[in-house]
Amino acid sequence: MLMVIFGAGASFDSAPTYPPGAEVLGGDGVNNFHRPPLANELFENRPVFAEAITRFPACQPIVPRLRSLKGESLEAALQDLQTKAIDYPRGLQQLAAVRYYLQYILWQCGIAWRDVAKGVTNYKTLLDQIERENKKNEPVCLVTFNYDTLLEDALSDFGLPIEAFPDYTKKHPFYRVFKVHGSVNWARIVENEIQSRNPTHAWSVAHEWIQRAAEVRITDNYVLSTEYPTAVVGGRPAFPAIAIPVEREKNFECPPDLLEELRALLPQTTRVLVIGWRATEEHFLDLLKAHLKPGIRLHVVAGGAKDAEEAQVRICRALINSRPSHSSASDEGFSDFILSGKVEKFLTE
């Protein structure tokens, strides 16, 4: 079975017409303000990002640190803030605002980037190549750490429109889709009653949840949402199902039944294709270590030799007891992997 793992680099380099460094016609110059960001770019001073910060002022005190990382990763900075928030109620409010901020900017980026790409994406070409080679309709496991819905947009053209949570794994003949860190259009039902004077006004309730972050009881009842900020879904209190990107996250932001399906599929995996994932999430590496069998073929696609090598090392180190039989890499990004024909070579080997 083939498993493809997508990280932020996949969406960052998702439009082959405009690979990283290319100027977007009619846009804002090199790398365009609407390009899906890498992790360390999530708090850049882009117009849409700056607007979002004004909408969620609770996170403003921590923005300078998250914009000026000075050698540390964004995940490390947020890990530190999350650890300190245990004894700092205002810190919990700041992190709740970060979740809303992430939902807002990535929803906006997704809309704008789809307009830039005009429907031409590497996701679609990859799915087309997979479908060509998967003549026996064997399961194909698609795991993404991205909050955006660019993968879902591509899947809808291949017979898999996502309209309910069971659709991720039960609707298509062979695609099984897992968003392990949540999604901009996911929410979790909240047990607390809304106290706002405008209980149906999303912005009012969102700010209420941020202010009441220390007491909000978020359930494992996941629902799809069509609006942001997500605070009320179908008349029920809700909160964005988006994981804060940290280094040592122990929990996934994904319905438990989907995670069980993923665990059941992992032992069937024979090939792993990693695209734009840095392999720094220890909890997912532990999952691979626990369930992958020895002898898989591993291929890593990254936007540079250093990133490719580091991802390979982290994955192989995690799989110390079930080492891949073969490991290789492409270090010129998702677009090159697609346009050069390397994707077809990997799928037919």
Side-chain angles (χ1 to χ4, degrees):
M1 185 190 80
L2 169 67
M3 179 169 68
V4 186
I5 304 174
F6 300 100
S11 288
F12 179 77
D13 186 10
S14 58
T17 309
Y18 302 109
E23 184 169 343
V24 177
L25 295 177
D28 303 300
V30 174
N31 280 335
N32 193 271
F33 289 139
H34 302 304
R35 182 181 295 277
L38 298 173
N40 279 12
E41 299 173 350
L42 284 169
F43 286 85
E44 283 187 335
N45 191 27
R46 304 186 192 184
V48 171
F49 294 10
E51 178 193 352
I53 288 170
T54 66
R55 289 178 177 270
F56 303 108
C59 70
Q60 290 173 0
I62 63 176
V63 168
R65 178 178 180 182
L66 301 177
R67 279 184 176 166
S68 306
L69 295 169
K70 297 181 179 179
E72 72 176 335
S73 68
L74 179 78
E75 293 93 337
L78 287 169
Q79 181 79 60
D80 181 57
L81 291 167
Q82 182 169 274
T83 301
K84 292 176 178 176
I86 296 173
D87 301 315
Y88 184 48
R90 189 176 298 278
L92 294 176
Q93 295 173 347
Q94 292 166 351
L95 294 175
V98 165
R99 291 180 192 268
Y100 272 106
Y101 165 85
L102 292 174
Q103 182 191 39
Y104 184 93
I105 66 164
L106 294 171
W107 201 312
Q108 291 269 37
C109 273
I111 293 170
W113 195 242
R114 281 192 289 271
D115 184 58
V116 169
K118 305 300 182 187
V120 179
T121 71
N122 292 323
Y123 285 114
K124 290 184 180 180
T125 305
L126 175 63
L127 296 178
D128 185 59
Q129 291 285 357
I130 290 173
E131 189 173 284
R132 287 173 186 270
E133 301 303 329
N134 191 23
K135 297 179 176 60
K136 296 181 180 179
N137 279 4
E138 295 178 347
V140 175
C141 185
L142 305 177
V143 178
T144 179
F145 287 87
N146 295 329
Y147 310 127
D148 63 58
T149 58
L150 294 174
L151 175 59
E152 288 97 317
D153 291 342
L155 285 165
S156 67
D157 286 355
F158 286 82
L160 184 53
I162 303 295
E163 299 167 326
F165 272 95
D167 294 348
Y168 283 98
T169 57
K170 295 180 170 62
K171 191 174 188 177
H172 194 271
F174 55 83
Y175 283 127
R176 310 289 181 262
V177 185
F178 303 92
K179 303 194 78 168
V180 291
H181 276 182
S183 181
V184 294
N185 64 334
W186 286 11
R188 292 166 68 177
I189 298 300
V190 171
E191 290 183 345
N192 306 66
E193 292 186 4
I194 299 171
Q195 298 176 356
S196 171
R197 294 180 180 178
N198 299 302
T200 61
H201 186 256
W203 286 98
S204 297
V205 180
H207 287 297
E208 177 183 335
W209 295 149
I210 292 170
Q211 291 303 310
R212 297 174 63 191
E215 62 180 273
V216 173
R217 299 185 303 277
I218 301 173
T219 73
D220 279 338
N221 185 358
Y222 284 76
V223 293
L224 294 180
S225 175
T226 59
E227 298 179 356
Y228 67 96
T230 296
V232 182
V233 178
R236 306 170 71 187
F239 194 85
I242 287 180
I244 291 179
V246 294
E247 287 184 325
R248 298 186 300 278
E249 181 63 67
K250 295 181 180 180
N251 299 315
F252 295 97
E253 187 63 77
C254 185
D257 57 331
L258 287 183
L259 289 174
E260 284 304 312
E261 290 187 62
L262 175 58
R263 292 187 182 97
L265 282 171
L266 285 174
Q268 304 175 37
T269 303
T270 56
R271 290 176 294 164
V272 176
L273 174 61
V274 174
I275 303 176
W277 181 51
R278 294 169 53 230
T280 57
E281 288 81 2
E282 294 180 9
H283 59 307
F284 189 74
L285 290 172
D286 288 341
L287 189 69
L288 297 182
K289 178 181 179 180
H291 297 284
L292 285 182
K293 291 185 177 180
I296 64 164
R297 295 181 65 86
L298 171 68
H299 188 81
V300 174
V301 178
K306 183 173 182 290
D307 289 342
E309 180 181 359
E310 289 178 350
Q312 276 185 283
V313 168
R314 291 188 189 105
I315 295 169
C316 290
R317 185 182 296 147
L319 302 179
I320 189 68
N321 296 322
S322 53
R323 284 190 174 278
S325 62
H326 182 268
S327 176
S328 56
S330 302
D331 59 13
E332 295 185 9
F334 197 4
S335 289
D336 177 76
F337 183 64
I338 293 294
L339 298 174
S340 66
K342 296 173 186 175
V343 58
E344 185 176 0
K345 180 179 179 183
F346 172 78
L347 291 173
T348 56
E349 284 179 338

